[in-house]
Amino acid sequence: MLLIADEVQTGFGRTGELFASDGHYHTSPDVLVMAKGLASGLPLAAIATRAELADQQPAGSMGGTYAGNAVACASAIATLDVIKDEGLVENAAVQGAHLRAALTDVVERD
């Protein structure tokens, strides 16, 4: 049985970890699906997996609207640079901790 992590919504630092499946849950998925945060809104998606799984996929069988193009790929490179250079993953973790603390205060007041 394969573990597939759908990180379309949660990937690229949105949860305070680059990928929620790895950072928060300490799992190593067999397949990691990513999009949205990858290219700052341009249509691009990606799948990461081990070579022995990827080699089972027939050549040319993966395609579609989000299969990538030169502009979206350039955007992905720039997006990843910004995420790293501006410390966006770390900032998301800090902001998430503030939100969690504030929500805990609200719950404890009741």
Side-chain angles (χ1 to χ4, degrees):
M1 180 178 297
L2 296 177
L3 175 60
I4 301 172
D6 180 348
E7 296 266 6
V8 170
Q9 296 288 344
T10 58
F12 299 99
R14 292 174 175 193
T15 67
E17 296 286 346
L18 190 59
F19 293 104
S21 58
D22 179 44
H24 293 293
Y25 301 106
H26 309 292
T27 61
S28 295
D30 299 296
V31 179
L32 181 67
V33 180
M34 59 199 104
K36 297 207 182 219
L38 177 58
S40 295
L42 291 178
L44 184 65
I47 298 172
T49 190
R50 299 186 311 273
E52 64 266 19
L53 292 176
D55 290 345
Q56 294 179 37
Q57 185 70 40
S61 64
M62 293 292 289
T65 305
Y66 296 95
N69 59 66
V71 174
C73 290
S75 177
I77 292 169
T79 298
L80 294 172
D81 286 345
V82 168
I83 289 170
K84 179 182 174 190
D85 295 346
E86 296 185 16
L88 297 186
V89 175
E90 296 80 8
N91 184 56
V94 169
Q95 298 307 319
H98 290 309
L99 177 60
R100 182 180 298 268
L103 292 173
T104 299
D105 288 344
V106 169
V107 169
E108 291 174 354
R109 279 188 239 152
D110 289 340

